[in-house]
Structure formats: structure tokens, C-alpha cells
Amino acid sequence: MISENLIGKGGSSQVYRGCLPDGKELAVKILKPSDDVLKEFVLEIEIITTLNHKSLISLLGFCFEDGNLLLVYDFLSRGSLEENLHGALHYYITFFCILRGLVNLLISSFYFISK
């Protein structure tokens, strides 16, 4: 996998964007070798194949290659999991609340300094 196709990484894995010969885009998750990697691999397969929700991606397959455990998912370009679960509006509301807090802090600071 080449670094320019890296689309995400976590503590125990990296996710790369891939493409099949027919043009179908994939997300390939490569689990890093560790003591518990096989248990995590099997657990993730069990969870993904058991749950059915519109926000969960489909597991297309899995394999063991060159000492690495790989999970192959549909690629979704709809943004992050956070955006898909809460929508983009969530970010604007959070940003607005932070901005409002900063404005209140500045007003309070100005009032305190002017006394």
C-alpha cells in the first residue's frame, strides 16, 4: 500500500483506499501485528457481520497476507463517522458554542480590566 492512499489510522490499524479493476472503490484496513491482533480481527468481523445499521459500512471480505490481517470494506466518501452519525450541523453548532464562549470571555475580561 502506498502512503498517498492512506485515509486513516488508529492505534492498531491503518486504512487505505483501493480500487478494483471494475472501478469499485474499497477501504482496506490493515491490522498491525500485536499479541491481541487475531482476537481483534475476529471480533471486528463478528461485530460488523452481526449489526445492521445505515451508518455502518459493509464488510466485503478479509484475508491474511504477508503476515498481515486485512479487512476489506466498501469505501464511503461521505465524510467521517462523526459527520455521518451527527451530521455536519453538529460541527457548526459546536463551533458556534465555542465562539460564543470566547466572546463572553472577552467581554468579561474587558469589563474586569476596565474597572
Side-chain angles (χ1 to χ4, degrees), residues 31-50:
L31 294 158
K32 296 177 186 172
S34 72
D35 292 338
D36 294 327
V37 72
L38 186 57
K39 186 169 43 171
E40 291 174 24
F41 182 73
V42 171
L43 184 62
E44 186 162 344
I45 292 170
E46 287 176 353
I47 290 170
I48 292 294
T49 56
T50 303

Side-chain angles (χ1 to χ4, degrees), residues 7-19:
I7 55 175
K9 60 181 171 178
S12 63
S13 64
Q14 293 181 324
V15 181
Y16 293 88
R17 184 182 207 157
C19 189

Side-chain angles (χ1 to χ4, degrees), residues 15-83:
V15 181
Y16 293 88
R17 184 182 207 157
C19 189
L20 294 176
D22 68 357
K24 180 174 180 61
E25 290 186 298
L26 307 169
V28 180
K29 182 175 186 178
I30 302 174
L31 294 158
K32 296 177 186 172
S34 72
D35 292 338
D36 294 327
V37 72
L38 186 57
K39 186 169 43 171
E40 291 174 24
F41 182 73
V42 171
L43 184 62
E44 186 162 344
I45 292 170
E46 287 176 353
I47 290 170
I48 292 294
T49 56
T50 303
L51 298 176
N52 183 18
H53 189 275
K54 66 178 183 163
S55 295
L56 290 177
I57 56 175
S58 299
L59 178 66
L60 300 175
F62 54 90
C63 70
F64 181 74
E65 181 179 287
D66 297 328
N68 292 310
L69 296 168
L70 286 79
L71 296 162
V72 182
Y73 294 97
D74 273 330
F75 177 77
L76 299 177
S77 60
R78 298 187 314 224
S80 70
L81 178 61
E82 178 77 15
E83 291 167 342

